[in-house]
Amino acid sequence: MFDLKYNVSILPHSPGVYIMKNDKLEILYVGKAKDLKKRVSQYFQKSQNHSEKTKTLVKYIKEFEYIVTQNEIEALILENNLIKKYNPPYNILLKDDKTYPFIKITVNEDFPRLFSTKNYIKDGNLYFGPFTLSSAVNEIISVLKNIFPIRNCKLFIKEGTISCKPCMYYQIKKCNAPCFGLVSKEEYNNIINQVIEILSGKNKNEFIRSLEEKMTYYYEQFEYEKALLIRDKISNINLIFEKQRIFLGNHKSEDYINIFKDDNDACVQIFFLRDGKIVGRDHFIFENIYGEFKESIIEQFIKSFYGGTAQIPNFIYSPEFFDKDSIEKWINVKAGRKVEFRIPKKGDKKNLFDLVEVNAKMMLRKFKSKKNLRLESKDKTYLNELAMILKINSKLERIEAYDISNISGFDSVGSMVVFNNGLPYTTQYRRFRIKSVQGSNDYESMKEVVLRRVKHGIREIEELKEGSLVYTSGKFCVFPDLILIDGGRGHVNLVEELLEEMNINIPVCGMVKDNKHRTRGLIYKNVEINININSSVMKFITRVQDEVHRYAISYHRTLRDKRGLGSILNEIPNIGSKRRRELMLYFKDINSIKRASFDELLKVPSMDKKSSNSILEFFKSNK
């Protein structure tokens, strides 16, 4: 038996790393200490300062071992390595340990190369970055190589030697073949210096001006092809300045780190500032860290993040954390220079620091929302419950919902959204522009939409049988297990009659709302079914109703924006272009015109009694 009390008593007062284990000798936690005896003793003393997580950890500790180090920095490095090796469950783990891409120019070679790398090494070469997206790096490199004839090969080329014959890049004028001695070291490095100036943002205007002068010269000499090539170069250079943000090794750089934590999870957000510009950002989610202090999360994040990334900035702005002194010493050794931790108190830095926290909060909410949706999709009990409530024996795998949207009967549209196993199946969403119904008639519009959808489905099924359609190309050939209509009894009865006429047996429910426009329940077989508002079934129905309504409204807005609300006035007799223009100028919007009285309409200069009556009659008949 391992005697905890005895083994704590013989611990040395030395810096080192301790490893906590359970009764199966599995590693639960790895920590470091300035004084092993003092630190490990704290675990086994009653303390109100322990987090809930630490209290739980102590219950499972049955054994520990330790490694003495010469100093705190060695302890911190060893702790970081052991955490990465064993992934202990009670340590705060940075699961997505990332490295970021840089643009590297090998200036220590006679004929430098330009490429992307994730290895930042102090080797005398130039590095631009870090970038959070590899695609941005590749795009910038591609544009630069289109502008300048920079070699693509990895050959070691020494001035005055011939390494090989020119490759195809020379033939297509993408390289000036230093491998074959066709360009001098001085000429080639002049090109590289221009690339460096572009990447470092220096002399942009002067450089572009010189190109514009060349373009003008070629144009005046009627050498239009050369002028066009330079024009394209200018365009590409401007594109680089728009897309790229840079960090030069000799410029000061800053990282801003902040955290948002709720009861169980946390998100740490980091913004990278280089040369005064935000060049990128990233976030890291920590799950199931109930009762853990923010300080310990930030401390572990800093150790893990900067222990695994090669590039360390000059300044790190972060919230307070417990062991600032030893971590600052460690990071100075790792960076090979002084790195300062700061807590911004006021001004622009404080504003940016607060913005990082806001972003962390948003990212955590987004993550939890997606997580809840995933969990909901795995737990299909609410779909089974819905089937039981409606007394449907089959599984509700595919559910289709329909809604109608219009304004005063104009631009009537229908929407169909599909939920497959409880999740939105967006590629199967469909929109319908109402064709056969005039004015505002939701019942007939709904009937038209469902009829068109069913007819499409029947036709596709026939084409599948004939072999003229592949199943994966079908848009309507899979019929739903349940249809949900945004409407009441009238809508449901109409759709049920339609399906019955076509010999199609699909249950139809209406999603009804209360007087505050919130989902209240379902209409099924002429009976309103009230469902607990807090139940997972009601939450699912509400989500479906909100989604089908959103989809209908978005389509309606698209059509409305295309044709303009004022075009509704085109439908009114005795209203020409002049009157339309003056009506819109006077009333500002179509709803104000619709609500206007006879006397108010006459106030518009070009309006008379006949045209005013036409407007009143039109909106009355299209109520």
Side-chain angles (χ1 to χ4, degrees):
M1 290 289 290
F2 187 87
D3 189 331
L4 285 171
K5 190 174 181 181
Y6 171 75
N7 280 280
V8 169
S9 69
I10 62 170
L11 279 167
H13 289 283
S14 306
V17 172
Y18 55 92
I19 302 162
M20 303 298 196
K21 299 180 179 182
N22 63 13
D23 54 356
K24 296 176 183 176
L25 299 183
E26 295 168 333
I27 294 175
L28 299 176
Y29 184 80
V30 176
K32 60 126 181 78
K34 296 178 187 177
D35 185 315
L36 280 167
K37 187 163 188 171
K38 284 183 180 178
R39 182 70 187 97
V40 176
S41 298
Q42 289 172 358
Y43 282 91
F44 305 104
Q45 296 168 358
K46 288 186 178 179
S47 174
Q48 299 300 319
N49 295 325
H50 284 335
S51 69
E52 291 300 320
K53 191 173 181 180
T54 304
K55 289 174 185 175
T56 308
L57 166 65
V58 172
K59 291 177 186 177
Y60 293 104
I61 296 172
K62 301 300 177 187
E63 190 173 318
F64 66 81
E65 62 178 279
Y66 62 92
I67 303 168
V68 175
T69 59
Q70 289 188 351
N71 52 53
E72 299 167 44
I73 297 171
E74 276 188 16
L76 201 151
I77 293 167
L78 180 58
E79 177 205 30
N80 209 27
N81 291 337
L82 290 174
I83 289 170
K84 285 181 180 178
K85 183 177 180 179
Y86 294 112
N87 290 326
Y90 283 85
N91 281 95
I92 297 166
L93 302 174
L94 191 61
K95 293 175 185 175
D96 39 0
D97 193 8
K98 300 174 183 175
T99 53
Y100 298 92
F102 292 80
I103 293 175
K104 180 176 180 178
I105 301 180
T106 57
V107 291
N108 58 6
E109 295 181 351
D110 284 358
F111 298 93
R113 293 171 293 132
L114 172 73
F115 56 90
S116 167
T117 181
K118 287 189 175 181
N119 299 316
Y120 182 89
I121 308 165
K122 293 176 183 177
D123 55 2
N125 291 305
L126 275 179
Y127 291 83
F128 297 84
F131 296 83
T132 49
L133 290 174
S134 296
S135 57
V137 175
N138 294 333
E139 190 172 354
I140 290 168
I141 290 172
S142 175
V143 171
L144 284 168
K145 286 185 175 179
N146 277 330
I147 299 170
F148 301 102
I150 305 167
R151 69 188 181 104
N152 276 293
C153 62
K154 295 180 181 179
L155 294 172
F156 177 77
I157 303 173
K158 198 77 179 163
E159 189 181 23
T161 62
I162 294 176
S163 305
C164 63
K165 290 182 179 180
C167 65
M168 69 168 186
Y169 287 102
Y170 173 72
Q171 307 298 334
I172 60 173
K173 299 182 179 178
K174 295 287 184 183
C175 175
N176 45 21
C179 59
F180 201 62
L182 296 179
V183 61
S184 69
K185 178 180 173 181
E186 186 181 354
E187 287 172 321
Y188 188 90
N189 278 279
N190 283 337
I191 294 168
I192 292 297
N193 288 335
Q194 290 179 60
V195 172
I196 293 168
E197 286 196 350
I198 289 172
L199 285 173
S200 57
K202 294 177 183 177
N203 305 322
K204 173 197 169 186
N205 295 333
E206 190 178 317
F207 185 64
I208 287 177
R209 196 181 303 116
S210 67
L211 287 174
E212 285 172 343
E213 286 172 4
K214 279 186 182 179
M215 182 177 70
T216 305
Y217 170 78
Y218 286 129
Y219 182 79
E220 289 171 351
Q221 299 299 314
F222 305 105
E223 295 185 61
Y224 299 121
E225 286 186 14
K226 289 182 180 179
L228 285 171
L229 284 171
I230 293 177
R231 184 202 64 182
D232 291 343
K233 273 190 181 183
I234 293 168
S235 176
N236 284 330
I237 289 165
N238 283 322
L239 181 71
I240 289 174
F241 280 111
E242 284 172 19
K243 287 188 174 289
Q244 158 254 5
R245 299 285 184 271
I246 335 163
F247 162 66
L248 280 174
N250 59 343
H251 285 194
K252 286 184 179 178
S253 55
E254 301 172 337
D255 285 355
Y256 284 74
I257 301 167
N258 216 331
I259 184 172
F260 179 80
K261 181 180 176 295
D262 61 19
D263 292 337
N264 293 311
D265 307 304
C267 176
V268 174
Q269 179 92 30
I270 180 167
F271 276 31
F272 307 107
L273 260 78
R274 302 295 181 260
D275 202 23
K277 300 168 186 172
I278 297 174
V279 301
R281 62 179 184 169
D282 212 339
H283 70 277
F284 302 83
I285 302 292
F286 299 91
E287 295 182 77
N288 304 318
I289 49 166
Y290 57 92
E292 194 65 74
F293 299 120
K294 282 186 178 180
E295 291 87 347
S296 64
I297 299 169
I298 286 292
E299 183 175 309
Q300 188 58 55
F301 171 79
I302 288 169
K303 289 189 288 187
S304 299
F305 185 77
Y306 292 109
T309 186
Q311 203 278 319
I312 298 172
N314 301 94
F315 300 98
I316 299 171
Y317 292 89
S318 76
E320 288 187 67
F321 53 93
F322 295 126
D323 198 6
K324 184 181 173 185
D325 291 341
S326 62
I327 289 177
E328 205 163 50
K329 288 175 188 173
W330 162 74
I331 210 165
N332 286 343
V333 170
K334 194 170 189 310
R337 55 179 160 76
K338 186 172 176 57
V339 178
E340 289 186 43
F341 283 92
R342 293 179 176 179
I343 303 168
K345 301 292 185 185
K346 60 183 180 179
D348 292 339
K349 294 186 185 300
K350 178 67 167 66
N351 292 336
L352 181 57
F353 188 64
D354 292 341
L355 179 65
V356 178
E357 183 184 9
V358 170
N359 275 264
K361 184 177 182 179
M362 287 169 60
M363 285 299 179
L364 184 62
R365 285 183 175 173
K366 188 176 178 181
F367 167 79
K368 288 174 85 79
S369 175
K370 284 185 177 179
K371 182 181 174 182
N372 290 336
L373 200 60
R374 286 198 304 270
L375 290 173
E376 261 186 47
S377 68
K378 288 178 183 177
D379 177 17
K380 297 296 187 303
T381 53
Y382 63 89
L383 292 177
N384 296 333
E385 268 185 68
L386 180 57
M388 286 173 64
I389 289 167
L390 301 176
K391 296 179 182 177
I392 296 171
N393 295 325
S394 58
K395 285 186 178 180
L396 299 179
E397 292 183 358
R398 182 184 173 101
I399 296 173
E400 291 180 5
Y402 295 85
D403 190 18
I404 303 296
S405 178
N406 64 66
I407 292 181
S408 300
F410 287 92
D411 289 331
S412 279
V413 297
S415 66
M416 173 186 113
V417 302
V418 180
F419 277 70
N420 198 50
N421 287 323
L423 289 176
Y425 193 3
T426 53
T427 56
Q428 292 282 304
Y429 285 14
R430 294 293 177 262
R431 289 165 166 166
F432 302 84
R433 193 164 182 175
I434 305 302
K435 298 176 179 178
S436 63
V437 182
Q438 296 299 318
S440 179
N441 189 331
D442 280 5
Y443 294 103
E444 290 300 320
S445 298
M446 183 66 75
K447 183 179 178 181
E448 180 192 319
V449 168
V450 177
L451 178 63
R452 284 165 61 185
R453 184 263 178 268
V454 171
K455 281 185 173 179
H456 279 306
I458 292 169
R459 189 175 67 246
E460 285 187 1
I461 289 168
E462 288 171 355
E463 289 174 1
L464 282 168
K465 288 177 181 177
E466 293 166 2
S468 59
L469 179 71
V470 180
Y471 176 78
T472 52
S473 301
K475 297 177 181 178
F476 297 97
C477 57
V478 180
F479 279 6
D481 303 304
L482 175 68
I483 290 176
L484 296 175
I485 302 291
D486 193 344
R489 282 185 177 84
H491 293 87
V492 173
N493 291 337
L494 201 67
V495 173
E496 283 180 334
E497 288 170 14
L498 170 67
L499 294 175
E500 194 177 335
E501 287 172 14
M502 304 185 79
N503 292 317
I504 293 173
N505 183 24
I506 301 172
V508 182
C509 288
M511 299 178 288
V512 289
K513 294 183 178 179
D514 59 21
N515 50 14
K516 291 185 179 178
H517 213 65
R518 294 175 304 193
T519 309
R520 185 179 73 207
L522 294 175
I523 295 285
Y524 183 55
K525 294 184 176 178
N526 264 329
V527 176
E528 182 169 334
I529 302 168
N530 293 314
I531 304 168
N532 186 337
I533 196 166
N534 294 316
S535 68
S536 56
V537 174
M538 182 54 81
K539 286 176 182 176
F540 172 69
I541 293 166
T542 303
R543 191 161 83 241
V544 172
Q545 190 168 31
D546 290 345
E547 179 66 356
V548 72
H549 185 64
R550 177 199 68 78
Y551 198 58
I553 288 291
S554 66
Y555 184 40
H556 182 269
R557 282 176 181 157
T558 303
L559 294 178
R560 186 186 66 191
D561 291 344
K562 282 181 180 177
R563 91 182 204 128
L565 275 172
S567 61
I568 292 174
L569 301 177
N570 291 337
E571 313 289 331
I572 306 176
N574 304 313
I575 302 296
S577 59
K578 182 181 178 182
R579 283 177 176 157
R580 283 198 300 274
R581 187 170 61 253
E582 289 186 1
L583 281 163
M584 292 304 288
L585 283 170
Y586 186 85
F587 289 104
K588 306 301 182 188
D589 61 69
I590 202 73
N591 286 322
S592 299
I593 299 171
K594 187 169 68 173
R595 291 192 298 266
S597 66
F598 180 79
D599 291 336
E600 286 174 324
L601 289 168
L602 284 175
K603 290 178 182 178
V604 177
S606 61
M607 293 294 288
D608 55 22
K609 291 181 180 179
K610 186 178 179 181
S611 57
S612 297
N613 277 322
S614 292
I615 289 175
L616 293 172
E617 194 61 38
F618 176 82
F619 284 115
K620 184 180 177 182
S621 63
N622 285 282
K623 194 171 183 181

